[in-house]
Amino acid sequence: MFQLILKDILLLKKIFLFAAAYIIVMMFLKEDSAVVFFVSVIVVTYMLILSACAHDDKNKADILLNSFPLTRRTVVMARYCSIFVFSVIAIMYYLVIAHILQMTGLSAQAHSVSLENVAAALCAVIFINSVYFPVFFKFGYIHSRLVSFILFFGTFALAPAFFEQADHPLVRDVIHYFPHLSEGKGMAIVAAVMMFLLAVSFFFSLQFYRKREF
Amino acid sequence: MEPILEVRNLRKEFQGFSLKNVSFTLEKGYIMGFIGPNGAGKSTTIKLIMNLIHKDGGEIKVFGLDNVKYEKEIKERIGFVFDENYFYDELTISEVKRVVAPLYRKWDNELFHKYIKEFSLPLKKKIKHLSKGMKMKLSLAIALSHHAELLIMDEPTSGLDPVIRSELLDILFTFIQDENKSVFFSTHITSDLDKIADYITFINDGEIIFSCPKDEIVENYGLVKGPKELLHSDIQQYLIGVKENQFGFEALVKDKQKIKRMAGDNIIVEKPSLEDIIVCFQRGM
Amino acid sequence: MNIIISNSSDEPIYQQIVKQIKNLIIKGELAENEMLPSIRTLAKELQISVITTKRAYQELENEGYIVTVQGKGTFVAAQNKELLKENQLKMVEEKLTEAVEAGKAIHLTLEEMQEILKVIYEEG
């Protein structure tokens, strides 16, 4: 399975450069560092995952990988693992670039990142891909492009709307619930929900991919 | 000794086409050519063996193991060379090796480099810059480097020039020196098989027409050429895929000795090539 | 050892091999107990099916010309001297039959044929 992730990394060399450029541009364009971080991580992870899927589609990986001693389960697992691998890469990228910009004095603000920022970005990434992957594994890359597009832009459209709705009683309850818990517990619940989402998503992806015929 | 590949009563239904009762067996140490016109079911059969599609009925056993249940174990021991796609275009040969080698338990790095040298493959070049022949050789190098016992080849020579095709045959001949190894070679370019195949399985319209030693086919089948009058005689029932021209007819017969006895000097009977056999059967449909 | 086969001849390839190896043995070019190439090596060199070479060797073994020793290889059998002589005589007879038929076809008499035979024999 790690070989499959290695394969993706080898293929995405050009994207890594592009990602660095994107982050730098974003840092100069936006003020709010939390927003810059959030958006950067999601966008970079999105670019990496989608490009990896595109490469697989272009090179008929479904047939190619099938000829190796790999089960379909391993292929699906690798995609899900890549969510974490790529988001970690995106986060590291961000931190390194922020650090460099600060050291060289090119950037005025301190682009600090809190644990909540990381959690929020990860949640968004997990959410997007948990919905995307089952569609990808059922219909293939080409027919799931629309869905990924909607998901991606939907997240950006909804996020501000979500914050605007802060006055809605349900939302207020949800937000107020968390401060009642210690930070650790709050995090743990969020993590559990995300893991559950991933597990359900994985289950469906696996079922879909196993049934497919090439 | 159990056969290396065994297919029994394989069935698969599509809209407008189906594989019906496909059965054949390949023993260790031999090369089987899998022939048939386009659309006959060759690729479908291979996809079923490789578990790319799911069967509707029947049994497929590789190394004596069920091909679905033991998929991973089987694929450790199979080398697969196919026509359309080989590897990721953007990767170099070295990178491909880095990705693929750890997937196999029996990977032999020294052997791989020996083949790279023998086939003159440039390690640092990207796959997309390789010629079709080089891509095929890379597939082969990888298949051979993990000590594959069974080579499954799906149209490996289409689009390749005769020189490379001849080189491929040499490689296969060397491969088969080990009597525990076998090759399953699917193609519609039958001239490659005329020389090298030990067994021929002929599929047409989803059904196996015959599966037997090539020698038997070449010795018993005959390409008959004769005057048109004979078309109305006793031998007519034995003629497969009759083609008439202004001056006579041509057809395939299963038992050329019999036809020679029946028609005597009135006909010419020649050794059929595998291509003749496919064409006549196709004509006869 | 030279074996040349024709793909376009009507004669089955295995038979061509049998004939040629028999000849080599009869002529003495293949000595007793000399090792023959394995069926697979032969198949590879001649670029033919291993089933063909197997069949050829089988027939040669049935007729007593060669012997296969498990695990060691295939060898030219110790030839029965009389049988060998008999086969060699048969070969001469076959060739002479051909010559006679050719002569009869152009209406040569027995004396004319004998004359020709004498000249050729004394020349060589």
Side-chain angles (χ1 to χ4, degrees):
Chain A
M1 184 188 71
F2 298 109
Q3 298 308 115
L4 294 179
I5 300 183
L6 171 66
K7 172 256 299 173
D8 284 335
I9 292 178
L10 288 172
L11 285 169
L12 296 172
K13 287 186 220 156
K14 288 198 186 121
I15 303 285
F16 286 131
L17 291 172
F18 192 76
Y22 176 82
I23 293 177
I24 296 176
V25 168
M26 278 298 283
M27 282 187 179
F28 281 112
L29 281 183
K30 284 267 183 195
E31 293 270 315
D32 188 347
S33 73
V35 169
V36 173
F37 177 76
F38 185 75
V39 170
S40 298
V41 169
I42 294 182
V43 167
V44 171
T45 311
Y46 174 80
M47 275 198 276
L48 291 172
I49 290 184
L50 226 58
S51 299
C53 292
H55 272 287
D56 273 356
D57 176 72
K58 182 169 163 241
N59 291 285
K60 301 203 191 146
D62 294 317
I63 298 183
L64 173 64
L65 295 179
N66 177 272
S67 65
F68 297 128
L70 290 168
T71 58
R72 293 198 186 190
R73 184 173 211 272
T74 308
V75 174
V76 176
M77 267 301 253
R79 279 272 158 263
Y80 277 84
C81 280
S82 72
I83 297 177
F84 295 100
V85 174
F86 292 155
S87 36
V88 164
I89 289 179
I91 293 171
M92 303 265 93
Y93 243 51
Y94 181 92
L95 292 174
V96 166
I97 291 177
H99 192 71
I100 293 178
L101 288 185
Q102 207 176 24
M103 299 288 306
T104 59
L106 277 170
S107 169
Q109 343 153 284
H111 291 274
S112 60
V113 165
S114 71
L115 213 53
E116 275 91 24
N117 295 145
V118 173
L122 273 178
C123 284
V125 165
I126 289 177
F127 174 74
I128 292 177
N129 290 298
S130 293
V131 177
Y132 174 62
F133 278 151
V135 179
F136 168 73
F137 282 113
K138 182 141 177 83
F139 299 108
Y141 173 73
I142 300 199
H143 297 290
S144 53
R145 267 185 313 192
L146 186 61
V147 171
S148 76
F149 192 75
I150 293 175
L151 274 171
F152 179 67
F153 285 103
T155 306
F156 289 113
L158 284 177
F162 183 77
F163 290 114
E164 273 169 36
Q165 288 295 314
D167 290 330
H168 190 284
L170 185 61
V171 172
R172 214 183 312 166
D173 282 338
V174 169
I175 293 184
H176 285 165
Y177 181 69
F178 287 106
H180 288 196
L181 305 167
S182 68
E183 185 160 313
K185 259 196 174 169
M187 285 279 183
I189 291 180
V190 169
V193 169
M194 285 296 135
M195 288 300 120
F196 178 71
L197 188 58
L198 266 182
V200 170
S201 170
F202 179 80
F203 173 77
F204 282 109
S205 291
L206 191 55
Q207 297 300 91
F208 292 152
Y209 197 56
R210 277 197 175 136
K211 291 221 174 77
R212 268 179 76 193
E213 309 210 317
F214 301 107
Chain B
M1 214 176 22
E2 83 207 340
I4 206 170
L5 171 63
E6 194 178 346
V7 173
R8 259 194 283 174
N9 299 323
L10 192 56
R11 251 184 33 226
K12 176 70 182 173
E13 314 251 333
F14 291 108
Q15 249 201 14
F17 173 76
S18 55
L19 276 189
K20 307 162 254 247
N21 263 332
V22 167
S23 300
F24 56 84
T25 300
L26 174 61
E27 305 280 345
K28 291 186 195 170
Y30 297 108
I31 298 184
M32 175 176 276
F34 191 41
I35 63 175
N38 281 333
K42 298 196 299 294
S43 286
T44 305
T45 305
I46 292 193
K47 283 184 179 180
L48 284 165
I49 296 175
M50 295 300 288
N51 209 19
L52 279 165
I53 57 181
H54 310 298
K55 59 184 183 264
D56 289 328
E59 205 177 43
I60 299 177
K61 283 205 186 146
V62 185
F63 308 119
L65 306 165
D66 180 76
N67 80 315
V68 173
K69 231 169 135 198
Y70 297 95
E71 188 176 357
K72 194 156 179 245
E73 289 88 331
I74 290 175
K75 287 181 180 169
E76 289 264 359
R77 296 157 71 183
I78 290 184
F80 191 41
V81 178
F82 45 130
D83 162 37
E84 285 220 29
N85 49 313
Y86 295 89
F87 299 101
Y88 291 88
D89 271 349
E90 292 293 323
L91 297 181
T92 64
I93 295 185
S94 303
E95 287 171 340
V96 167
K97 192 216 92 173
R98 263 176 78 194
V99 171
V100 171
L103 296 176
Y104 291 104
R105 257 178 274 149
K106 288 198 195 150
W107 183 266
D108 187 337
N109 222 19
E110 262 183 58
L111 199 54
F112 179 72
H113 284 285
K114 167 178 156 263
Y115 284 119
I116 291 292
K117 221 166 153 201
E118 200 180 303
F119 300 159
S120 305
L121 296 173
L123 281 170
K124 296 296 172 197
K125 247 199 178 153
K126 285 192 182 179
I127 300 296
K128 66 182 177 188
H129 294 139
L130 298 178
S131 69
K132 199 160 199 282
M134 284 168 132
K135 285 191 211 176
M136 189 272 287
K137 284 185 184 171
L138 175 60
S139 268
L140 213 47
I142 291 187
L144 296 170
S145 298
H146 69 266
H147 295 286
E149 295 161 56
L150 172 63
L151 287 184
I152 297 183
M153 310 180 86
D154 189 2
E155 307 280 2
T157 56
S158 77
L160 297 180
D161 66 63
V163 174
I164 298 217
R165 299 216 316 256
S166 169
E167 284 175 36
L168 170 64
L169 288 192
D170 282 335
I171 297 169
L172 292 181
F173 267 123
T174 307
F175 180 75
I176 213 77
Q177 289 301 294
D178 182 340
E179 59 193 14
N180 290 311
K181 300 196 168 142
S182 301
V183 178
F184 186 71
F185 192 136
S186 164
T187 182
H188 63 269
I189 305 177
T190 50
S191 49
D192 293 335
L193 296 174
D194 277 324
K195 284 189 195 162
I196 195 174
D198 298 312
Y199 290 91
I200 300 284
T201 299
F202 177 30
I203 189 170
N204 198 8
D205 211 21
E207 285 182 58
I208 301 289
I209 307 294
F210 60 70
S211 178
C212 52
K214 183 191 67 187
D215 285 352
E216 234 175 74
I217 300 164
V218 163
E219 280 164 32
N220 295 329
Y221 279 75
L223 197 59
V224 169
K225 297 179 184 175
K228 290 205 255 203
E229 296 76 50
L230 282 178
L231 289 177
H232 305 292
S233 72
D234 286 339
I235 68 168
Q236 191 204 18
Q237 54 177 305
Y238 300 108
L239 302 176
I240 302 170
V242 177
K243 181 174 172 191
E244 287 184 57
N245 60 52
Q246 266 192 8
F247 311 108
F249 79 89
E250 172 186 292
L252 185 72
V253 293
K254 274 194 195 156
D255 186 346
K256 67 180 171 206
Q257 302 304 334
K258 186 186 198 152
I259 302 300
K260 269 192 193 165
R261 283 195 300 271
M262 286 174 77
D265 282 332
N266 288 327
I267 54 166
I268 291 180
V269 179
E270 290 178 340
K271 226 178 183 178
S273 69
L274 291 174
E275 196 174 306
D276 293 326
I277 293 178
I278 296 184
V279 169
C280 288
F281 266 101
Q282 186 68 342
R283 262 203 311 252
M285 290 290 148
Chain C
M1 168 170 126
N2 288 316
I3 299 189
I4 320 281
I5 52 160
S6 161
N7 281 310
S8 47
S9 140
D10 263 344
E11 189 179 16
I13 296 180
Y14 86 92
Q15 238 164 52
Q16 294 179 41
I17 298 177
V18 167
K19 245 194 186 156
Q20 290 187 41
I21 293 188
K22 250 193 216 174
N23 264 339
L24 291 171
I25 294 179
I26 291 177
K27 283 198 220 157
E29 277 177 49
L30 275 177
E32 267 178 34
N33 295 322
E34 190 172 325
M35 188 159 107
L36 291 171
S38 73
I39 51 173
R40 286 185 184 270
T41 306
L42 190 61
K44 176 177 168 213
E45 294 302 308
L46 295 177
Q47 300 238 307
I48 55 178
S49 159
V50 71
I51 296 184
T52 312
T53 54
K54 213 182 208 178
R55 199 169 165 193
Y57 274 27
Q58 198 77 28
E59 187 154 313
L60 285 166
E61 191 157 354
N62 288 343
E63 293 186 26
Y65 283 92
I66 64 177
V67 158
T68 307
V69 180
Q70 258 293 32
K72 290 234 175 102
T74 309
F75 305 87
V76 177
Q79 293 304 307
N80 181 336
K81 294 278 186 267
E82 274 122 48
L83 190 62
L84 204 61
K85 194 66 186 274
E86 209 178 290
N87 279 321
Q88 286 165 325
L89 277 174
K90 236 201 328 205
M91 258 176 76
V92 175
E93 267 177 46
E94 277 172 20
K95 299 278 179 204
L96 284 177
T97 309
E98 272 177 51
V100 167
E101 278 174 15
K104 280 192 178 168
I106 57 169
H107 307 296
L108 289 181
T109 64
L110 178 60
E111 286 77 28
E112 283 167 328
M113 289 223 66
Q114 282 173 325
E115 199 42 60
I116 298 176
L117 182 63
K118 195 160 172 242
V119 170
I120 295 176
Y121 196 92
E122 278 162 9
E123 239 176 55

